[in-house]
Amino acid sequence: MTVVKALTIAGSDSGGGAGIQADLKTFQELKAYGMSVLTAVTAQNTLGVQGVYPLTVSQVEEQLDSIGEDLKPDALKTGMLFSAEIIEAVAKKIQQYDMNNVVIDPVMIAKGGAKLLQDEAIDAMKKHLIPVATVVTPNIPEAEAITGLTLNSMDDRKEAAKRLYHLGAQNIIIKGGHGEEKEVIDLIYDGETFTQLINDRQITENTHGTGCTFAAAIAAELAKGADSLDAIRVAREFIQVAIEDDLHIGSGHGPTNHWAFQSRRAKV
Ligand SMILES: Nc1ncnc2c1ncn2[C@@H]1O[C@H](COP(=O)(O)OP(=O)(O)OP(=O)(O)O)[C@@H](O)[C@H]1O
Ligand SMILES: Cc1ncc(CO)c(N)n1
């Protein structure tokens, strides 16, 4: 049996729906051995974020050294990185250990509005992290914050994708969860071609951690050898059913269902 390894570099969500917890659940469901480098602890539930406690840069670096020296991942994803210093350290270690198949989810704000990235860290993200991305997965507000554009139309999103490409990312997906359309349109750009993935928009409160889960699924598929577009297509299916078969946990924005994808496959 060939075992592939996937790494998440992200924050902990005590509520289990987003962050490291969502990533590890997703890796497991997609049969990638999951590993984690923690950047911050959050006290969080479906109602919101009650506390944010970043780790020190050296604590993050030491974890990355432990992974890099023994357990080189076949793919990795980044989530909440919190500060410019952590972003720079992570980018440096990715290069030092020659880690490939890098999915960058430029997490900035939790759905309830809590800040998971300091404003002054956006420049570091542009300068250090987006250039090492195999795939970068901003939602619409994140793409706006990175590019400085206001994204009102699909043409605006295409222009933002081009700018992200020029920052050095190989593949861009601007996620449409925050869009106004009746359907959810995720826009992909690989430097040459635009591809739109169009899916039914689910009317539900339970979308906590959709971005984390989606990016982790891309990383798991890349780890198994898929090309970027195929990895994104599987991840899109994974998140669609995780939203459709929601769990109804907590009294706020509940998590998605990380086992829905495998449960549905088992029924076919
Ligand atoms: N209501 C919905 N119905 C169907 N798909 C959705 C819905 N909301 C989000 N998605 C899908 O989930 C994925 C994540 O998109 P989204 O824009 O919600 O990310 P995000 O804002 O980064 O998430 P997070 O809450 O983790 O920060 C995308 O593929 C998007 O199309
Ligand atoms: C720890 C963490 N990372 C990412 C997100 C974004 O969903 C969140 N809410 N919490």
Side-chain angles (χ1 to χ4, degrees):
M1 183 175 66
T2 313
V3 177
V4 301
K5 304 189 287 306
L7 169 67
T8 168
I9 306 171
S12 165
D13 167 8
S14 52
I20 291 273
Q21 289 80 358
D23 299 341
L24 290 174
K25 290 174 194 181
T26 304
F27 291 161
Q28 183 74 11
E29 291 294 320
L30 290 173
K31 294 199 166 49
Y33 175 80
M35 307 178 293
S36 58
V37 165
L38 213 61
T39 57
V41 171
T42 70
Q44 191 172 171
N45 56 25
T46 66
L47 299 170
V49 178
Q50 292 81 40
V52 173
Y53 306 98
L55 271 66
T56 64
V57 171
S58 58
Q59 287 167 339
V60 174
E61 283 173 338
E62 200 174 331
Q63 295 175 75
L64 281 162
D65 288 333
S66 296
I67 299 285
E69 282 159 18
D70 184 41
L71 294 160
K72 184 175 168 183
D74 298 291
L76 69 87
K77 69 140 291 203
T78 68
M80 172 187 182
L81 297 176
F82 191 69
S83 69
E85 294 73 28
I86 294 180
I87 288 175
E88 278 185 45
V90 166
K92 232 182 245 165
K93 292 292 176 192
I94 288 173
Q95 285 162 313
Q96 180 184 332
Y97 291 108
D98 194 24
M99 293 177 183
N100 304 312
N101 292 324
V102 175
V103 181
I104 303 293
D105 182 13
V107 170
M108 294 182 188
I109 296 175
K111 284 223 163 77
K115 256 194 193 162
L116 304 178
L117 183 75
Q118 295 172 327
D119 292 339
E120 60 274 19
I122 294 177
D123 275 348
M125 173 100 67
K126 282 160 75 167
K127 198 163 154 208
H128 301 289
L129 215 48
I130 292 180
V132 301
T134 311
V135 183
V136 62
T137 67
N139 61 27
I140 290 171
E142 289 158 356
E144 290 183 326
I146 295 168
T147 62
L149 297 171
T150 303
L151 306 186
N152 291 321
S153 65
M154 191 49 71
D155 280 346
D156 294 339
R157 288 189 217 173
K158 287 185 176 172
E159 180 56 32
K162 283 185 186 168
R163 292 204 190 178
L164 285 156
Y165 183 77
H166 288 299
L167 287 173
Q170 292 167 34
N171 297 274
I172 292 88
I173 172 156
I174 300 188
K175 298 171 294 189
H178 297 248
E180 305 278 297
E181 301 88 357
K182 194 166 155 279
E183 286 140 331
V184 189
I185 306 175
D186 294 331
L187 176 70
I188 303 167
Y189 183 57
D190 64 2
E192 277 177 24
T193 310
F194 287 103
T195 307
Q196 291 186 10
L197 301 183
I198 304 176
N199 284 277
D200 288 340
R201 183 180 295 278
Q202 299 302 302
I203 308 304
T204 171
E205 289 281 281
N206 302 324
T207 55
H208 176 66
T210 48
C212 305
T213 301
F214 179 64
I218 298 173
E221 290 304 300
L222 290 178
K224 289 187 281 183
D227 69 25
S228 294
L229 189 56
D230 286 344
I232 291 169
R233 284 188 196 283
V234 173
R236 192 60 195 73
E237 202 186 325
F238 190 98
I239 194 61
Q240 186 69 20
V241 297
I243 297 170
E244 283 176 13
D245 298 355
D246 52 354
L247 300 170
H248 302 280
I249 289 174
S251 40
H253 290 282
T256 68
N257 178 349
H258 292 98
W259 60 73
F261 184 80
Q262 289 303 345
S263 295
R264 289 209 193 182
R265 294 221 151 169
K267 278 188 201 140
V268 177

